[in-house]
Amino acid sequence: MVKLTKIYTRTGDDGTTGLVDGSRTAKDAPRMAAIGDVDELNSSIGLAALHATGPMLAALRTIQNDLFDLGADLATPGDDLTPSDMALRIVPAQVRRLEDEIDAMNADMAPLTSFILPGGNALAASLHMARTIARRAERTLVAARRDVAVNPEAQRYVNRLSDWLFVAARHANGQGADDILWVPGASR
């Protein structure tokens, strides 16, 4: 259980931040860049959720919770990436849930016949924005792996989440019927 009574600690004034095990790292370390991008992704999903209702809203809230799990996973240093009571880790079931939801959303949509432009209604546009942030978070997570051990399931989760967000945006756009199609060279 988290209990915060004081928000500022002044411990980060030297340009470092604390990790789960109490160790400190530079705020601009690759690990922290990945954590920051995951946090930004979570915030962008919170904005998308403003336009969602019903099952889509519930799915977005579940994903937001997963992204907090992911942040804790990335903030837990060490080479042992096994989930435990002391180490919150992304697990295969979280990735499978995304895959199942992608399949369910995609089941009744016509196949793509063109690339689509990000946009449509407010929910779809917000989901497309979150998708691009998910792609960036994936890139920074891959970069962090060069310096520190990263749970492979965490990387799979972010990769799958960007796919989920793409399909969810199409779903929000009238099951793809209101997607804005790319017309190559249309403005020449």
Side-chain angles (χ1 to χ4, degrees):
M1 175 57 91
V2 175
K3 182 179 180 182
L4 299 173
T5 56
K6 189 172 184 179
I7 300 303
Y8 65 90
T9 63
R10 298 187 178 112
T11 58
D13 291 350
D14 65 353
T16 65
T17 192
L19 298 175
V20 170
D21 68 351
S23 65
R24 299 196 65 78
T25 191
K27 288 186 178 186
D28 64 350
R31 174 195 305 270
M32 296 315 300
I35 291 170
D37 285 348
V38 167
D39 188 31
E40 184 180 349
L41 171 58
N42 203 340
S43 294
S44 71
I45 290 173
L47 284 172
L50 293 173
H51 307 287
T53 59
M56 178 65 75
L57 178 59
L60 291 172
R61 293 295 184 223
T62 298
I63 288 167
Q64 285 191 290
N65 198 77
D66 286 349
L67 290 173
F68 257 78
D69 291 354
L70 177 58
D73 189 334
L74 294 172
T76 303
D79 294 330
D80 183 3
L81 302 173
T82 308
S84 70
D85 290 340
M86 298 305 293
L88 186 56
R89 301 289 185 192
I90 295 294
V91 296
Q94 290 167 292
V95 176
R96 278 192 306 274
R97 189 194 73 247
L98 290 177
E99 291 170 347
D100 291 344
E101 290 174 3
I102 290 169
D103 292 343
M105 286 187 287
N106 217 18
D108 295 328
M109 275 194 274
L112 284 171
T113 58
S114 171
F115 287 109
I116 60 173
L117 303 179
N121 62 46
L123 176 57
S126 297
L127 292 167
H128 277 298
M129 188 69 203
R131 173 187 54 78
T132 65
I133 297 169
R135 288 289 188 210
R136 178 167 24 96
E138 183 180 13
R139 290 189 301 271
T140 55
L141 198 149
V142 168
R145 286 184 62 196
R146 291 188 197 113
D147 291 341
V148 297
V150 172
N151 176 3
E153 291 304 321
Q155 186 173 334
R156 284 185 195 94
Y157 184 89
V158 176
N159 185 28
R160 214 65 82 246
L161 179 56
S162 63
D163 296 333
W164 188 99
L165 291 163
F166 177 78
V167 173
R170 293 198 69 223
H171 190 273
N173 269 337
Q175 301 258 356
D178 299 328
D179 284 339
I180 304 165
L181 302 180
W182 173 46
V183 181
S187 58
R188 289 185 184 175

